[in-house]
Amino acid sequence: MLSVLADDQQRESGLGRPGGARRRATIHDVAKLAGVSRQTVSRAVNDKCEIDPGTKERVLEAARLLDYRPSRFARGLVRKGTVTAGLVIPDLMNPFFPEVAAGVLEAAELRGWQVVVWDSRTDEAREREALDVLSHQADAVVGYFRSPDDELARHLGGVPLVLLERGPQHTRFAAVGIDAAAGVEQGMAHLVRAGHRRIGMLDGVHGPAPRRQAFLAEARRHGLSVDDGWIAMCPEHSVAGGEEGMARLLDARPELTAVFGFNDLIAVGAMRAARRRGRRVPEELAVLGFDGLSLGELVDPGLTTLHIDKRRLGRLAVEQVARLRAGEEPMNGTDAWVIPELVVRASA
Amino acid sequence: MLSVLADDQQRESGLGRPGGARRRATIHDVAKLAGVSRQTVSRAVNDKCEIDPGTKERVLEAARLLDYRPSRFARGLVRKGTVTAGLVIPDLMNPFFPEVAAGVLEAAELRGWQVVVWDSRTDEAREREALDVLSHQADAVVGYFRSPDDELARHLGGVPLVLLERGPQHTRFAAVGIDAAAGVEQGMAHLVRAGHRRIGMLDGVHGPAPRRQAFLAEARRHGLSVDDGWIAMCPEHSVAGGEEGMARLLDARPELTAVFGFNDLIAVGAMRAARRRGRRVPEELAVLGFDGLSLGELVDPGLTTLHIDKRRLGRLAVEQVARLRAGEEPMNGTDAWVIPELVVRASA
DNA sequence: TTGTACGCGTTATCAA
DNA sequence: TTGATAACGCGTACAA
């Protein structure tokens, strides 16, 4: 008891020190000021009923005076149940990802979870930093990662991870993804149906390989004489990246009549680059996107694209996390896959 | 490799236990299993040097077996310094806000802070819920709020708050904002310079009033015979909302030759609605936006707009939080204001 | 190199 | 209605 008092007096003197940021008040400080026990303070602050209205008011007044706020750590220690998920997003400027994030936030809120967000900017080093932090501060992580499984595991320290847009064959972690093959199939069928035979693709660097592979497979299936030479890499998944890739593709394959974009931003860039070179869209060059951003309705001509339910993707990811946490088997196959849906507008 | 297998098997067997979810392993459990003291476990897990490599390996193996992860609460309790900020965003589908969020995330990361994000969907009830949670789980909150100061304070419980886009005259909290008047002044000058006299405005519901007020003030200053009747409300801050508002405005004021949008999304909606009514943009109707979304470069004609440095807005907000936390006076006036900059494209 | 003992801030249990 | 005491899980002097 005495030692506690001495301790407090020491604190007090530290408090008065001018210029230094002073220590945050604890429940103990409030108790002392109000002349009650810590327990009573706890009751007052947490709105318990077993407390005299008068003392409660006195305690709250003291708390206000000291700017007291309960420590979330001490509270979390004793009250189980606060769940925090980490969300790692590669590019907040691409409207695709905020929409996925919205799905994650929505599902997390429904479960009473919190979400701390990191922007990795498609940088592997930043991915690792994010994991280093989140593995300590979050109960689970979901996000987009380029790093291989082993690298992820190394920075994960056993925290459950749900990968976005990685097929189960490409990772040993739980994942939710997009059925790229189904999407590309619809898209290619649409182009071929319209009479196109000389179809190129604008691939994204560090993008999931399935889209490229599906493109080549579909081209073969339709008997097109299309190979790697018909695929141009875009340096980034943006409109500018699409413009750059398209310029290169048009140089390499001027006979091109249609182009399949890795995503909508790239496709929009392709439209712009094509037009800058004097090619009319869609009359002289058809452009097909992938994502279904609302941006696609706004450009002229409207972008034909494979629409993805991005919010659902986010919600599914949260559901996977929940399964992992419950010790259940994560969803697999089509349950964890979102199927793209062709939306035909004017561009193709 | 072997250890991973063992780990999985352990999970499997734990799964079979009919009792349900078992308690998470603590440092104590690991110590017991490894036959050492908790202290040694701590050293092994935290990579301290004063430990024998052999015992360290044994401890880590035990930790892996039990799927042990240190409690972030217990850790936070003893190791001070983890700062968590709450970020409340009204609409993740509007590209404006992800960009602000990117600025917040960027600045927060630089300081080693984490950010937990909430999507309030411009709903006051959801704002309050967000505050109720964040006031317990975050060390400070920044965000967009429609609720009045008193309401915010009630749900804040003393947590520092930084308001986004509220002038200091409209709140007693710290804030960072946009100099709407300066923006509107540039925009109106541009339109008047181009010969427009019959200028309307598409205002957003629950949007900051300054834009509307500045619009009316500038109209007066330029001697335009423009009043409230020239302002149409958009039911939401989206393209669709802009279309709806524009339709109403054209009904009310068919003689309109230019329109000022509350934001870029609304302006784009206005362009679409105008064209649907057979008005060519910009020849028969000039359209001016506010925000400077990259979307504006993509539409046709390109959107003339008042560009805002959204990332900077986010960074400033974090800086305000830092000042609040340090007990300093928050920035005030122009230091905490972002000034819009006119970007002329084809639409006006 | 390893272990003991204590403190971190809060809530829960039980006794007064 | 109130208060003493014991967890909660972890880090860290300090002692062994």
Side-chain angles (χ1 to χ4, degrees), chain B residues 27 39 46 68 70-71 75:
Chain B
I27 198 172
Q39 176 52 21
N46 296 350
Y68 165 72
S71 148
R75 213 171 229 183

Side-chain angles (χ1 to χ4, degrees), chain A residues 96 165 177-187 211 214 260 262 264 288-292 305-310 312-313 334 336-343:
Chain A
F96 184 87
E165 295 191 45
I178 293 169
D179 191 341
V184 172
E185 184 184 335
Q186 293 176 69
R211 296 188 197 183
F260 201 146
F262 173 87
D264 278 1
L288 188 61
F290 201 118
D291 272 359
T305 187
L306 291 152
H307 181 272
I308 296 168
D309 189 343
K310 305 159 230 20
R312 175 148 183 271
L313 203 60
T334 55
W337 279 22
V338 175
I339 309 229
E341 188 178 336
L342 182 66
V343 175

Side-chain angles (χ1 to χ4, degrees), chain A residues 86-246:
Chain A
L87 172 61
V88 179
I89 289 292
D91 180 12
L92 276 171
M93 295 305 104
N94 181 342
F96 184 87
F97 298 107
E99 201 163 339
V100 176
V104 170
L105 259 38
E106 181 187 325
E109 185 188 340
L110 245 38
R111 295 177 180 273
W113 299 356
Q114 297 174 80
V115 180
V116 352
V117 178
W118 273 76
D119 183 355
S120 72
R121 295 180 214 154
T122 346
D123 178 317
E124 293 204 24
R126 291 179 52 79
E127 279 181 13
R128 290 189 292 263
E129 290 173 43
L131 280 185
D132 286 337
V133 173
L134 291 176
S135 62
H136 289 317
Q137 307 291 354
D139 302 300
V141 176
V142 345
Y144 288 83
F145 292 91
R146 299 169 54 192
S147 310
D149 277 8
D150 290 335
E151 190 67 22
L152 295 177
R154 196 166 306 132
H155 293 265
L156 210 44
V159 175
L161 173 67
V162 172
L163 254 24
L164 256 30
E165 295 191 45
R166 284 242 203 122
Q169 62 276 30
H170 296 104
T171 181
R172 66 169 190 263
F173 293 108
V176 304
I178 293 169
D179 191 341
V184 172
E185 184 184 335
Q186 293 176 69
M188 291 295 277
H190 177 73
L191 292 176
V192 168
R193 203 181 306 131
H196 294 284
R197 307 284 301 168
R198 298 192 297 277
I199 306 174
M201 179 184 182
L202 292 172
D203 200 9
V205 281
H206 60 244
R211 296 188 197 183
R212 178 200 197 98
Q213 291 166 355
F215 169 77
L216 289 171
E218 286 300 310
R220 258 194 311 276
R221 209 168 63 82
H222 286 290
L224 313 183
S225 56
V226 156
D227 59 11
D228 277 325
W230 291 77
I231 301 183
M233 271 299 179
C234 300
E236 48 180 35
H237 295 187
S238 63
V239 174
E243 292 180 357
E244 200 172 324
M246 190 62 187

Side-chain angles (χ1 to χ4, degrees), chain B residues 181-315:
Chain B
V184 172
E185 183 184 336
Q186 293 176 68
M188 291 296 277
H190 177 72
L191 291 176
V192 168
R193 204 180 305 131
H196 293 284
R197 307 283 301 168
R198 298 191 298 277
I199 305 174
M201 179 183 182
L202 291 172
D203 200 10
V205 281
H206 60 243
R211 296 190 197 180
R212 178 201 196 97
Q213 291 166 354
F215 170 77
L216 289 171
E218 286 299 310
R220 260 194 309 276
R221 208 167 64 81
H222 286 289
L224 312 183
S225 56
V226 157
D227 59 11
D228 277 325
W230 291 77
I231 301 183
M233 272 297 180
C234 300
E236 49 179 35
H237 295 186
S238 63
V239 174
E243 292 179 358
E244 200 172 322
M246 189 63 187
R248 278 209 298 269
L249 188 56
L250 283 173
D251 285 340
R253 302 290 168 187
E255 67 268 39
L256 203 71
T257 71
V259 65
F260 202 145
F262 173 87
N263 71 12
D264 278 2
L265 257 28
I266 283 176
V268 168
M271 288 194 354
R272 293 164 67 84
R275 268 199 295 203
R276 193 173 306 131
R277 297 234 178 165
R279 305 235 184 170
R280 289 181 306 156
V281 177
E283 294 82 355
E284 298 171 322
L285 186 82
V287 176
L288 187 61
F290 202 118
D291 272 0
L293 304 186
S294 58
L295 164 64
E297 323 176 32
L298 269 24
V299 294
D300 183 41
L303 184 64
T304 294
T305 187
L306 291 153
H307 181 272
I308 295 168
D309 189 341
K310 305 162 239 1
R311 299 185 86 100
R312 175 148 184 270
L313 202 60
R315 288 195 304 263

Side-chain angles (χ1 to χ4, degrees), chain A residues 256-327:
Chain A
L256 201 71
T257 71
V259 65
F260 201 146
F262 173 87
N263 71 12
D264 278 1
L265 257 29
I266 284 176
V268 168
M271 288 194 353
R272 292 165 66 85
R275 268 199 294 202
R276 194 172 306 131
R277 297 231 177 166
R279 304 233 185 172
R280 287 181 305 155
V281 177
E283 294 82 355
E284 299 171 324
L285 185 82
V287 176
L288 188 61
F290 201 118
D291 272 359
L293 304 186
S294 58
L295 165 63
E297 323 175 31
L298 269 24
V299 294
D300 184 41
L303 185 64
T304 294
T305 187
L306 291 152
H307 181 272
I308 296 168
D309 189 343
K310 305 159 230 20
R311 299 184 87 100
R312 175 148 183 271
L313 203 60
R315 288 195 305 262
L316 281 177
V318 171
E319 195 173 333
Q320 291 285 56
V321 170
R323 296 192 180 223
L324 253 36
R325 286 177 47 84

